[in-house]
């Protein structure tokens, strides 16, 4: 996690959930994450069975030069990455993983900036499948950000974090196979893991995917 807003939101979410796989939406107190609020968002499942922005911080709306409320989350991404995003969202909503994604955003005149995004499971009416908590923060601060709108974005890397339970190979395989052009194995083949350490935690790397198992951060 490279940005303070990302880590602030993760630490708050992790403390708030306690022994649960995810905290409840009504437990979220915006004043506790004031420093990250402008970069924070909540997604909700729409009637079309896709996730849209229910709330979006001011920095996000400024970066895209438009109000994001009600807009499709996956619709922000290049069409070749949308299957990967949907698979990633399922890992968060169904398997209660935490997803950390980096992406490159482009403007109409092809200026570029990199972002970091975190997706966290959130419980609503007893289910984790209709809400997501997240943050999206630019890794740089170019002078044109907020003047030139972001119109396309591509995944450059991702990690899945299971705060409590070990990741299953099936989930890893599905996510890895769904990300074209980022160095993953072809569909139907589980990439070979490489043991490494990330932020002091044991992790298994599958090309650009890092799976961090267990522990509180």
């Amino acid at each position: 996690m490279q940005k303070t807003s990302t880590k602030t939101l993760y630490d708050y979410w992790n403390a708030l959930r306690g022994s649960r796989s995810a905290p409840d939406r009504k437990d979220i107190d915006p004043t506790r994450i004031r420093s990250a609020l402008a970069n924070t968002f909540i997604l909700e499942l729409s009637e079309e069975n896709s996730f849209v922005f229910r709330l979006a911080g001011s920095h996000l709306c400024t970066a895209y030069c438009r109000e994001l409320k009600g807009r499709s989350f996956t619709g922000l991404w290049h069409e070749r990455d949308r299957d990967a995003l949907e698979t990633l969202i399922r890992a968060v909503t169904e398997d209660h993983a935490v997803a950390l994604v980096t992406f490159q955003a482009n403007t109409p005149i092809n200026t570029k900036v990199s972002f970091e995004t975190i997706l966290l499971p959130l419980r609503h009416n007893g289910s984790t499948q209709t809400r997501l908590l997240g943050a999206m923060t630019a890794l740089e601060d170019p002078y044109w950000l907020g003047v030139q709108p972001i119109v396309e974005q591509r995944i450059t890397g991702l990690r899945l974090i299971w705060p409590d339970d070990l990741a299953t190979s099936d989930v890893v395989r599905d996510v890895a196979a769904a990300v074209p052009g980022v160095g993953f194995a072809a569909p139907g083949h589980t990439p070979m893991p490489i043991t490494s350490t990330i932020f002091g935690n044991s992790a298994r790397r599958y090309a650009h995917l890092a799976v961090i198992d267990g522990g509180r951060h």
Side-chain angles (χ1 to χ4, degrees), residues 157-203:
L158 63 84
R159 297 172 184 160
L160 289 178
I161 304 169
W162 272 262
D164 294 320
D165 302 320
L166 294 181
T168 66
S169 59
D170 286 345
V171 173
V172 173
R173 183 189 64 234
D174 290 346
V175 174
V179 185
V182 193
F184 289 127
H189 294 80
T190 302
M192 292 299 294
I194 302 173
T195 301
S196 62
T197 301
I198 297 175
F199 301 114
N201 298 290
S202 177

Side-chain angles (χ1 to χ4, degrees), residues 131-151:
R131 292 288 191 278
L132 278 169
L133 176 66
M136 188 183 298
T137 311
L139 297 182
E140 308 99 32
D141 188 22
Y143 71 91
W144 51 261
L145 190 61
V147 178
Q148 299 171 21
I150 294 168
V151 295

